[in-house]
């Protein structure tokens, strides 16, 4: 059966009307829900995917309004926002958009946004005191990677800070599940350090030593460098807290550009 051009136009107009009717009914149903529930919905979408968050924001007027709530930015995931590699010279427009969104997230207490900005500025020696405050805020919000960075920095600071840093890192490697989490924290920090110039003289000088006792070690060539597997678990019982911390310092020190 051949459908005439006129009939196709009528069907197309009806389709548009039906789509508009469905959208109007959807928006009407959404508007009847409490604002707190709508904010929670959009926040959960944002915590899953930035792309899904944008789609939800553009779906209707109500979602567009609650999408800018502080709670939404606080819970937004940054998985879709990889670290900007300035060596690749990205377009300024892209830099501005990403920077603007991350700034909103930081203002609203997003722990990952606070962590990223704090770590980058801290190691680049860009207002290090303010940067350390950002990392501390991320740690206070429950960001495990921030605790790891604080421990590493305290070791580089020396003195009583070093002792506290050694204990902090040592406690993060007490059990196998904790060591797995610590490896993820390490990889996250290493990824940032490989994308920036580390200029902070605190971490760019001589590598701090931790353990002064010659403990037995299974590995003949010392601690592993840049390992992503669980091989380091094999000789964990031959280490003290200072040994564990020394291993972490070795990983970090190995990626610093000289």
């Amino acid at each position: 059966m051949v459908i005439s051009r006129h009939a196709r136009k009528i069907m197309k107009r009806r389709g548009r009307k039906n789509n508009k009717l469905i959208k109007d009914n959807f928006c009407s149903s959404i508007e009847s829900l409490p604002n707190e529930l709508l904010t929670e919905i959009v926040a959960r979408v944002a915590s899953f995917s930035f792309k899904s968050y944008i789609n939800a924001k553009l779906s209707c007027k109500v979602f567009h309004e609650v999408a800018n709530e502080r709670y939404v930015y606080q819970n937004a995931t940054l998985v879709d926002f990889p670290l900007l590699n300035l060596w690749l010279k990205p377009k300024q427009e892209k830099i501005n958009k990403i920077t603007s969104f991350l700034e909103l997230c930081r203002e609203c207490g997003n722990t990952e946004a606070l962590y990223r900005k704090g770590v980058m500025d801290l190691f680049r020696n860009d207002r290090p005191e303010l940067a350390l405050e950002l990392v501390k805020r991320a740690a206070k919000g429950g960001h495990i990677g921030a605790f790891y960075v604080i421990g590493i920095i305290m070791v580089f600071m020396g003195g009583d800070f070093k002792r506290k840093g050694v204990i902090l890192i040592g406690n993060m490697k007490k059990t196998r599940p904790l060591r797995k989490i610590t490896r993820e924290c390490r990889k996250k920090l290493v990824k940032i350090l490989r994308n920036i110039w580390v200029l902070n003289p605190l971490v760019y000088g001589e590598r701090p030593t931790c353990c002064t006792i010659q403990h037995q070690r299974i590995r003949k060539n010392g601690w592993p460098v840049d390992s992503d597997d669980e091989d380091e678990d094999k000789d964990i019982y031959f280490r003290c807290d200072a040994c564990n911390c020394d291993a972490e310092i070795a990983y970090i020190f190995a990626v610093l550009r000289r």
Side-chain angles (χ1 to χ4, degrees), residues 18-29:
N18 289 335
N19 289 338
K20 186 177 184 304
L21 182 62
I22 293 173
K23 186 175 181 179
D24 290 342
N25 289 335
F26 171 76
C27 291
S28 179
S29 300

Side-chain angles (χ1 to χ4, degrees), residues 88-102:
L88 300 178
K89 297 181 179 180
K91 293 182 178 180
Q92 189 61 43
E93 182 181 0
K94 180 180 180 181
I95 295 176
N96 292 341
K97 286 182 178 180
I98 293 178
T99 302
S100 177
F101 179 78
L102 293 179

